[in-house]
Amino acid sequence: MTLQRKLAILADAAKYDASCASSGTSKRSSVGGAGIGSTEGSGICHSYAPDGRCISLLKILLTNFCQYDCLYCVNRVSSNVPRARFTVQEVVDLTLDFYRRNCIEGLFLSSGIIQNPDYTMEQVVEVARTLREDHDFRGYIHLKTIPDASPELLRRAGLYADRLSINVELPTDQGLATLAPEKDGAAIRRSMANLRVHIDDARGAARDAAAVSVVSMPTSMPRRAAAPKFAPAGQSTQMIVGADATDDRTILSTSANLYGAYRLRRVYYSAFSPIPDASSSLPLAAPPMVREHRLYQADWLMRFYGFAHDEIVPPAAPGDSAGGGMLSLDVDPKLAWALAHRDRFPVDLNAAPREMLLRVPGLGVKAVERLLMARRVRRLRSDDLKRLHVPLKKVMAFVEVADHRPGHALEAADLAARLKPVPVQASLFSA
């Protein structure tokens, strides 16, 4: 099989992996002629960092052969798809060649499980080791780890990769037992805990090394060896949404637990895609893409806006089988929360604490910070909101400023209908 054919198969098989953002890693560069590659710049798989940078990664599988038979996976052992496998050297050569042509800024590498988890993990780690040690590659590397691999292999992976991730696959252990019975939810969590310990240890050592000691000679600079880095961009995970009947409230509960217990950088939500020759246990159609979008919005509310996971989605009422425990698809989760808690509004922008300002629909974190700075020197007026370019139609019904009071607007029965986004015909040429 030609290398081009392998690339076509294994790049296509990797498209279901969503976790490929490179944000948060340490900066490395080959400026000055040292090494090759960089974690910065602009550039086959596009993702966006929180600061807006577009990042291009070579996203491939080492192989799509797999001994497991997870029902939702197109690469499962019983799936009738073309199979291919790269050698370690082929992945290394592809990465360096694409980088030299300015097509990519890093590598995202995952793999099906062949022979056993340790053998597969050794191959994945060897790719990263060869790039780093033999070629001094300084670009971004994200490795998908194999949950049942030995702790020593996970430790070695962290020495070469910027980010490591282990997929929890499904939101609940029951779902995992039903759709992926060969995978062990407890082993996945043990691996996450193992990575967290290594990451915490490395950061602690870095803080100690950065501490400046007291010296008696002002011109003498204290010299201390740099602490070893371990997955400086942290760890992440991915779960499939819509392959089973798990509701959004349960999904967010699982995410909150993962963030709290293992300090994950990100939880990625991947809407289930129907696959050829699928099991009868799977739904026939994919869930609405907007559901995946709403989950990401709710995830941001938990991480940056101070919302608890159990207040974003109301619990299902007894006997309620229509929409209970699910995010609204019509409006974003923050607006849905505000409409359900109208007694908490209007919010006085000149006096309310930051925590309450962050709950106003239409106000983002940056806008809130700017309002807090501005109100130190003057009373805020509606023109201040116009200058911030916030969506006034959404915001003004929930706030008070010096020259504006919403009156009885919050009591209007049609408020939700008026704030609901107007449907727009999608462009044939949009992404």
Side-chain angles (χ1 to χ4, degrees):
M1 183 181 290
T2 65
L3 186 61
Q4 189 171 9
R5 178 61 178 155
K6 288 184 184 180
L7 184 60
I9 293 173
L10 295 172
D12 183 71
K15 66 185 179 184
Y16 301 99
D17 280 306
S19 46
C20 53
S22 68
S23 58
T25 188
S26 56
K27 295 180 179 179
R28 293 189 299 275
S29 172
S30 58
V31 173
I36 182 171
S38 167
T39 54
E40 296 182 274
S42 57
I44 297 170
C45 159
H46 294 118
S47 59
Y48 292 88
D51 59 1
R53 286 182 303 120
C54 177
I55 301 158
S56 299
L57 301 176
L58 173 61
K59 190 166 75 168
I60 53 175
L61 298 188
L62 185 67
T63 179
N64 65 341
F65 287 100
C66 189
Q67 63 187 27
Y68 287 1
D69 199 21
C70 306
L71 300 184
Y72 49 80
C73 182
V74 71
N75 298 317
R76 68 193 187 279
V77 66
S78 59
S79 180
N80 183 25
V81 295
R83 304 284 182 174
R85 176 182 173 181
F86 282 129
T87 64
V88 169
Q89 193 58 48
E90 285 174 334
V91 176
V92 170
D93 291 344
L94 277 172
T95 304
L96 296 175
D97 287 348
F98 275 118
Y99 186 82
R100 291 185 178 112
R101 295 173 187 176
N102 199 29
C103 297
I104 62 166
E105 298 163 67
L107 170 68
F108 175 96
L109 183 63
S110 184
S111 180
I113 299 173
I114 48 177
Q115 293 192 23
N116 57 63
D118 281 352
Y119 174 80
T120 309
M121 195 67 217
E122 283 180 354
Q123 300 292 298
V124 170
V125 172
E126 183 60 13
V127 170
R129 188 206 64 77
T130 306
L131 283 168
R132 293 288 196 225
E133 294 188 348
D134 296 351
H135 298 279
D136 198 14
F137 181 73
R138 304 191 182 193
Y140 178 82
I141 297 180
H142 182 159
L143 299 182
K144 274 290 178 76
T145 60
I146 311 300
D148 295 328
S150 72
E152 174 57 21
L153 286 169
L154 295 179
R155 187 193 66 80
R156 288 180 54 200
L159 299 178
Y160 303 118
D162 293 277
R163 173 169 288 188
L164 299 175
S165 56
I166 305 174
N167 288 354
V168 296
E169 306 288 359
L170 292 161
T172 65
D173 287 342
Q174 295 88 339
L176 193 67
T178 302
L179 300 181
E182 294 159 298
K183 292 193 172 174
D184 183 349
I188 293 172
R189 290 190 289 274
R190 279 198 303 273
S191 297
M192 286 181 171
N194 189 299
L195 291 181
R196 177 188 166 175
V197 169
H198 284 303
I199 293 170
D200 287 349
D201 287 348
R203 289 176 181 166
R207 283 193 295 271
D208 292 343
V212 177
S213 61
V214 177
V215 293
S216 56
M217 299 176 63
T219 57
S220 175
M221 295 297 292
R223 298 178 65 85
R224 187 173 292 184
K229 293 181 177 179
F230 184 92
Q235 62 169 323
S236 61
T237 193
Q238 176 179 345
M239 67 174 77
I240 299 170
V241 173
D244 61 6
T246 306
D247 62 26
D248 294 340
R249 185 177 171 86
T250 305
I251 292 172
L252 293 178
S253 175
T254 300
S255 299
N257 179 55
L258 292 171
Y259 283 127
Y262 308 108
R263 294 185 185 172
L264 299 187
R265 284 291 183 90
R266 289 291 302 272
V267 174
Y268 292 87
Y269 306 95
S270 177
F272 166 71
S273 297
I275 56 177
D277 306 318
S279 164
S280 59
S281 302
L282 296 171
L284 296 175
M289 286 301 293
V290 69
R291 183 185 176 192
E292 180 184 290
H293 180 59
R294 297 296 184 221
L295 282 168
Y296 277 116
Q297 290 178 319
D299 187 279
W300 275 66
L301 292 184
M302 291 192 298
R303 294 192 292 140
F304 301 110
Y305 288 79
F307 282 79
H309 71 276
D310 54 356
E311 63 179 329
I312 298 175
V313 189
D320 179 12
S321 59
M326 300 293 284
L327 292 164
S328 170
L329 300 182
D330 294 331
V331 296
D332 66 79
K334 192 175 176 185
L335 178 57
W337 182 87
L339 290 171
H341 298 81
R342 302 187 194 196
D343 57 308
R344 309 275 291 270
F345 298 94
V347 169
D348 185 351
L349 295 187
N350 285 294
R354 179 179 185 275
E355 294 74 19
M356 198 60 214
L357 296 184
L358 287 173
R359 298 201 171 217
V360 175
L363 291 185
V365 174
K366 288 184 179 178
V368 167
E369 296 300 336
R370 288 170 181 169
L371 289 173
L372 288 171
M373 292 176 64
R375 80 182 190 185
R376 293 176 184 169
V377 296
R378 65 178 186 275
R379 287 186 59 77
L380 299 175
R381 305 178 66 84
S382 51
D383 284 346
D384 291 303
L385 293 173
K386 291 179 183 176
R387 280 191 284 272
L388 288 176
H389 299 292
V390 298
L392 293 177
K393 179 182 175 183
K394 181 188 288 188
V395 173
M396 297 309 283
F398 295 95
V399 300
E400 286 181 1
V401 285
D403 60 343
H404 167 78
R405 292 183 183 277
H408 298 286
L410 283 171
E411 302 170 8
D414 63 341
L415 179 60
R418 286 193 281 115
L419 297 179
K420 180 179 174 181
V422 178
V424 178
Q425 176 66 50
S427 167
L428 289 173
F429 305 102
S430 61

